[in-house]
Amino acid sequence: MIVPLATAMSGSGITQNTTSTTTFDPSSLDPWLDPYPDLPGVNSSSSSVVPDLTSTSNLDLRPLNSLQDVSPWDVALCVTGTIISCENALVIAVLFYTPTLRAPMFILIGSLAFADLLAGLGLILNFVFTYLIEGEVVTLVSTGILIVAFSASIFNILAITVDRYLSLYNALTYHTERTVLFTYLMVGLIWLLCLILAILPALGWNCLDDKSACSVCRPVTKSNAVALAALFLLVFALMMQLYLQICRIAFRHAQQIAVQHQFLAISTTKGVQTLSVILCAFAICWLPFAMYSIVADSSYPVIYTYAAALPAAFNSVINPIIYAFRNPDIQKGLWLACCGCVPSNLWLRPRARTSSDV
């Protein structure tokens, strides 16, 4: 906006006055005799006026985002990303440095923790790219990281739910059929699918050239946002169905064993309550953002997008608490890593034998 303004001034009366002075040679003057050598408009020559206004070498070309006030919503997302990164980095460290935590269920927990760690780093990078760096490339990179991270987090939660169901449905053959290799293959397929979803905006499925086609999350198009939201709703429906089947199996087992009926009834009730909390937390965090992505577009107030996105990001904060820190084996690893000892009440607790114990 500065260069066109200077161009307009060079075509006004300033240029006309300087071109009319044909008998005066400004180069014959000693520059040390000029009392105001750096003030444009004081010198009568065109060489001292137009170059100062049209030259961009002395202009502040910082991005506009670096000059505006920082949004508190972006600060909240950045702080959330920092908490997510710290929590899940701790989970990954415990799983990596504890040789006994190599069962299939711990592989799934580690994959979920890595996805949430990537989500936290993506939120931090998004804040940096928004206020310090500007460009289409960094926008696509930030969007790709967030898509692959949050989609992998959701699919890993679905994989853990499937693993819980199989551990109860095939309780006798679970440990022989559920091999580590099979778990690694399933995790690999999850990350491959999420990477494909993440690179779609970079392959041209974006709204950088057509702002009217943007969804609530630029540069994702409206159609792509609807597809991702529909995929999430499908995952949520599968999780609900699997958790209902888990509850039915658990109650049937409690009825079949008459001797331990009271003990199993109490245990089953607690398990159903735990599954209800897990499912409700997942729904509260992600359903508002999914539904809002379907009905809204870029013309909606941005504060609504922040209000829906912040709970979705908070789901990665509670995932380590639900799936990792409640596990007795991981708790022992945390105590050993932090204090070098394990409380006596943890030693008396049984090891988590299946993913249903997670």
Side-chain angles (χ1 to χ4, degrees):
M1 297 299 293
I2 297 178
V3 174
L5 178 61
T7 306
M9 292 180 63
S10 64
S12 62
I14 297 177
T15 306
Q16 295 175 0
N17 293 335
T18 54
T19 54
S20 62
T21 309
T22 57
T23 60
F24 178 68
D25 185 11
S27 62
S28 62
L29 292 177
D30 188 349
W32 294 101
L33 298 179
D34 188 2
Y36 306 101
D38 298 326
L39 296 179
V42 176
N43 298 331
S44 58
S45 62
S46 60
S47 62
S48 62
V49 177
V50 178
D52 289 340
L53 293 174
T54 58
S55 176
T56 60
S57 59
N58 297 327
L59 297 177
D60 186 7
L61 299 180
R62 292 177 299 170
L64 181 61
N65 287 333
S66 64
L67 300 178
Q68 67 183 9
D69 294 334
V70 178
S71 170
W73 290 96
D74 288 328
V75 174
L77 286 174
C78 185
V79 172
T80 303
T82 305
I83 298 174
I84 292 171
S85 301
C86 295
E87 280 184 329
N88 290 279
L90 182 61
V91 174
I92 293 174
V94 171
L95 294 176
F96 183 80
Y97 288 105
T98 307
T100 58
L101 303 181
R102 297 292 184 269
M105 64 173 178
F106 293 115
I107 296 174
L108 294 175
I109 293 175
S111 179
L112 175 62
F114 182 76
D116 288 332
L117 173 62
L118 190 62
L121 296 177
L123 292 174
I124 297 174
L125 289 177
N126 183 69
F127 181 85
V128 174
F129 291 159
T130 300
Y131 292 99
L132 299 180
I133 305 175
E134 191 179 64
E136 295 183 356
V137 175
V138 295
T139 301
L140 292 174
V141 169
S142 175
T143 303
I145 292 175
L146 292 176
I147 290 177
V148 69
F150 284 115
S151 58
S153 178
I154 292 174
F155 281 112
N156 276 291
I157 292 176
L158 176 62
I160 292 175
T161 306
V162 173
D163 193 56
R164 285 177 168 176
Y165 171 75
L166 293 177
S167 68
L168 291 176
Y169 184 76
N170 297 323
L172 298 177
T173 59
Y174 171 81
H175 292 285
T176 57
E177 295 178 354
R178 194 72 166 140
T179 62
V180 174
L181 178 60
F182 178 80
T183 306
Y184 275 121
L185 290 176
M186 184 173 62
V187 170
L189 289 176
I190 289 175
W191 282 98
L192 179 61
L193 174 61
C194 296
L195 285 174
I196 294 174
L197 294 176
I199 64 175
L200 289 180
L203 295 179
W205 293 23
N206 58 69
C207 61
L208 294 176
D209 297 329
D210 185 11
K211 308 301 182 183
S212 61
C214 286
S215 65
V216 294
C217 296
R218 184 179 178 274
V220 179
T221 62
K222 173 67 175 179
S223 58
N224 290 346
V226 171
L228 291 174
L231 184 61
F232 163 79
L233 294 177
L234 176 61
V235 170
F236 181 69
L238 290 175
M239 288 180 59
M240 288 188 61
Q241 181 65 25
L242 288 172
Y243 276 132
L244 287 176
Q245 294 298 325
I246 290 173
C247 293
R248 291 176 181 175
I249 294 174
F251 280 116
R252 187 169 65 246
H253 287 175
Q255 294 174 356
Q256 290 175 351
I257 305 176
V259 177
Q260 299 177 353
H261 177 74
Q262 182 178 3
F263 172 76
L264 288 178
I266 298 174
S267 168
T268 303
T269 302
K270 291 181 61 177
V272 171
Q273 292 175 352
T274 301
L275 296 181
S276 301
V277 171
I278 292 173
L279 195 61
C280 290
F282 185 76
I284 292 173
C285 290
W286 276 106
L287 275 180
F289 184 74
M291 300 304 297
Y292 183 71
S293 299
I294 294 177
V295 302
D297 53 33
S298 58
S299 63
Y300 281 62
V302 69
I303 189 174
Y304 296 158
T305 302
Y306 281 117
L310 191 58
F314 189 76
N315 184 73
S316 296
V317 176
I318 64 177
N319 279 341
I321 302 174
I322 294 176
Y323 298 99
F325 295 149
R326 293 176 56 251
N327 183 277
D329 295 327
I330 295 180
Q331 289 178 6
K332 294 174 184 178
L334 287 173
W335 277 100
L336 287 174
C338 298
C339 305
C341 61
V342 178
S344 58
N345 60 335
L346 280 181
W347 282 118
L348 298 177
R349 293 181 61 182
R351 294 176 57 87
R353 294 166 296 176
T354 65
S355 64
S356 60
D357 299 323
V358 177

